[in-house]
Amino acid sequence: MDLYEGMPDPVRKAWERSLTTGRAAMSRRRLLRTASLAAGGAALAACGIPPAEGSKGGEAEDDTPDDSRKERTLNFANWPLYIDVDEKDKKKRPTLDGFQRRSGIKVKYVEDVNDNNEFYGKIKPQLAAGQETGRDLVCLSDWMAGRMIRQGWAQRLDPANLPHAVTNLEDRFRAAAHDPGRQYSYPWAGTACVVAYNKKATKGKKVTSVTQLLEDESLKGRISMLTEMTDTIGLTMLDMRIDSMKFEDDDFDAAIARIRKAVERKQLRRFSGNDYMDELNSGDIAACLAWAGDIVQLKLDNEDVEFAVPERGYLFGTDDLLVPAEARHQDNAEALIDYYYRPKVAAELAAWVNYICPVVGAQDEMKKIDADLAADPLLFPDERMIKKGRNFRPMNAKEEAAYEDKFAKLIGA
């Protein structure tokens, strides 16, 4: 079966671009200087999340038999390098091993989510046919999680099985446009796209905005933007005082035109995927758009690398855990979700993956592991950063095809 069958050509090209150079291709973690970490956590009282009005999730999940009690197993599909690993024994995953000991549930952990769309193509035939996908729990970016929920291909979660998750999910993660009330998904981690620069390459000049990237003559030929359309266009629109959650076609076109002018003036060196990390680290690129998790990693070994949260906002998102329709071990999956919302466990995971932690109390636990990481707003955003986070609004199929086509022409893809 052709994974891209029936897909508009611009969208197909965007998927392929993501697989080879975009966020899907990025190494989610480089080796860190890690301390000895221990799993564990304390039980907290539960409180409920009220059902969201107008939720369009399907009903198939209510009729799916759950074999969790008689089968203490769980199939968990995640992105590569998106969980903590023992530095001495790469086969060990401390937090996951702790869950298995604590729960008695044996987890088959598979790193087979290399791209949202690619993974969706793998499981779509089974979901459409009302069959099991072979996964009880998956981790997908928020927009893809939303698609699964809208199509009725995600099982509604039981709050009674999620006391830590319900209690410890930070408030800002509860108001999810793709899953109102968090009835179907919980964040594994938050993501952020910001401005980064190498202060040695900029001769000490701070770079804090998209305007500087596109217009500062001293940076000409030494800046890059991302091949991910939502991040590059979203941040550019925010810089233009256009709300990335409410933009119209004309707004999108204006952002494209603005970037094109910079391309024609050779202000931009190029559009890049994860390979911007090496160029920023070396100073070959003076400034760029960057993913926050990458910058946390680079800063550990290079004091010249800095980041800035643009005054007019940055792009914020989540990678979410959800249970696919027809999965037969939902209770086991919910047990794992809840386990990772214990602050001590969440801190251990965040210390390794370096993405935004969505768990209340984890920052205090992180102080016992690494005080610098605990103070880093790219892992634990402060109030100022939280207020500046904006999403890229959902697109319908027609818009997605049109926008990706315009963006592909802009970057020469």
Side-chain angles (χ1 to χ4, degrees):
M1 175 182 142
D2 182 359
L3 173 63
Y4 305 109
E5 183 178 0
M7 186 185 302
D9 187 61
V11 180
R12 176 183 61 77
K13 289 180 179 178
W15 283 20
E16 292 172 340
R17 193 167 64 241
S18 181
L19 276 169
T20 56
T21 63
R23 183 169 170 239
M26 123 177 115
S27 172
R28 286 177 168 269
R29 177 190 183 271
R30 293 193 172 187
L31 292 177
L32 303 181
R33 298 167 293 177
T34 55
S36 175
L37 308 177
L44 298 175
C47 65
I49 297 178
E53 297 180 3
S55 178
K56 296 182 180 180
E59 299 299 326
E61 69 272 11
D62 297 331
D63 302 323
T64 303
D66 195 333
D67 295 329
S68 292
R69 290 190 178 182
K70 63 181 181 180
E71 296 177 3
R72 305 299 286 165
T73 61
L74 174 65
N75 296 318
F76 180 12
N78 202 352
W79 298 77
L81 301 174
Y82 212 14
I83 196 168
D84 52 308
V85 175
D86 189 297
E87 294 296 331
K88 296 181 179 179
D89 185 349
K90 303 299 183 182
K91 295 182 180 180
K92 293 182 179 179
R93 301 180 177 98
T95 59
L96 193 61
D97 294 342
F99 169 74
Q100 293 182 101
R101 289 193 301 269
R102 184 184 187 97
S103 66
I105 298 170
K106 184 177 181 180
V107 181
K108 181 181 179 182
Y109 184 84
V110 182
E111 296 179 331
D112 66 344
V113 185
N114 293 303
D115 175 79
N116 286 289
N117 291 302
E118 179 192 39
F119 185 77
Y120 178 76
K122 290 180 184 178
I123 63 176
K124 180 180 178 179
Q126 293 99 316
L127 292 168
Q131 300 172 351
E132 290 183 70
T133 66
R135 290 95 171 168
D136 300 302
L137 186 66
V138 299
C139 183
L140 299 170
S141 296
D142 47 18
W143 59 270
M144 180 58 76
R147 181 190 295 181
M148 296 272 289
I149 293 166
R150 289 192 302 273
Q151 291 175 322
W153 290 345
Q155 299 200 46
R156 188 188 300 268
L157 302 175
D158 185 353
N161 292 336
L162 300 163
H164 295 91
V166 170
T167 302
N168 295 332
L169 176 66
E170 283 196 16
D171 287 345
R172 64 197 173 100
F173 291 94
R174 297 175 189 263
H178 65 287
D179 182 14
R182 287 291 179 187
Q183 298 182 77
Y184 295 88
S185 68
Y186 272 84
W188 179 252
T191 62
C193 184
V194 296
V195 171
Y197 61 99
N198 184 313
K199 61 186 180 184
K200 184 175 181 180
T202 65
K203 297 181 179 180
K205 176 184 288 189
K206 294 182 179 180
V207 182
T208 62
S209 69
V210 172
T211 292
Q212 279 182 272
L213 293 179
L214 297 178
E215 299 177 10
D216 189 331
E217 285 290 330
S218 71
L219 303 176
K220 187 172 183 178
R222 298 188 298 140
I223 72 115
S224 70
M225 302 183 90
L226 295 167
T227 55
E228 293 289 316
M229 183 267 288
T230 55
D231 291 323
T232 291
I233 298 299
L235 273 172
T236 301
M237 286 194 294
L238 290 175
D239 188 75
M240 298 168 70
R241 300 185 186 279
I242 298 169
D243 190 340
S244 62
M245 283 293 295
K246 300 177 181 179
F247 69 88
E248 302 292 342
D249 289 351
D250 289 346
D251 298 323
F252 186 93
D253 291 344
I256 288 283
R258 186 183 183 201
I259 299 171
R260 182 175 289 112
K261 287 181 180 179
V263 171
E264 292 171 348
R265 293 193 348 262
K266 300 187 183 304
Q267 176 77 7
L268 272 72
R269 177 168 178 166
R270 68 191 187 94
F271 294 89
S272 66
N274 64 297
D275 48 346
Y276 73 84
M277 293 178 66
D278 291 333
E279 294 177 320
L280 180 64
N281 187 53
S282 68
D284 287 343
I285 282 180
C288 62
L289 298 186
W291 290 297
D294 291 345
I295 302 308
V296 174
Q297 295 164 22
L298 289 179
K299 282 171 61 66
L300 288 172
D301 297 312
N302 188 342
E303 62 182 12
D304 291 325
V305 173
E306 296 288 352
F307 77 94
V309 179
E311 189 63 30
R312 295 177 184 174
Y314 68 95
L315 261 289
F316 169 77
T318 56
D319 288 329
D320 292 346
L321 298 173
L322 58 81
V323 179
E326 307 302 328
R328 302 182 71 86
H329 303 99
Q330 179 171 341
D331 283 1
N332 293 345
E334 290 170 342
L336 186 141
I337 294 172
D338 195 61
Y339 172 77
Y340 277 94
Y341 272 79
R342 295 172 181 268
K344 199 169 185 178
V345 178
E348 184 173 354
L349 176 68
W352 208 91
V353 302
N354 293 161
Y355 279 76
I356 296 172
C357 183
V359 181
V360 172
Q363 187 171 19
D364 287 338
E365 293 294 336
M366 182 68 83
K367 292 175 183 178
K368 304 172 187 177
I369 299 171
D370 188 319
D372 290 337
L373 289 179
D376 196 324
L378 295 184
L379 270 74
F380 299 97
D382 53 24
E383 195 62 33
R384 175 178 174 273
M385 186 167 181
I386 290 172
K387 289 181 178 179
K388 292 182 180 300
R390 300 296 293 171
N391 298 115
F392 194 95
R393 74 161 172 80
M395 299 172 286
N396 59 41
K398 183 178 179 180
E399 286 177 325
E400 184 180 17
Y403 294 162
E404 287 290 3
D405 184 46
K406 292 176 182 178
F407 187 68
K409 290 176 181 176
L410 171 68
I411 68 176

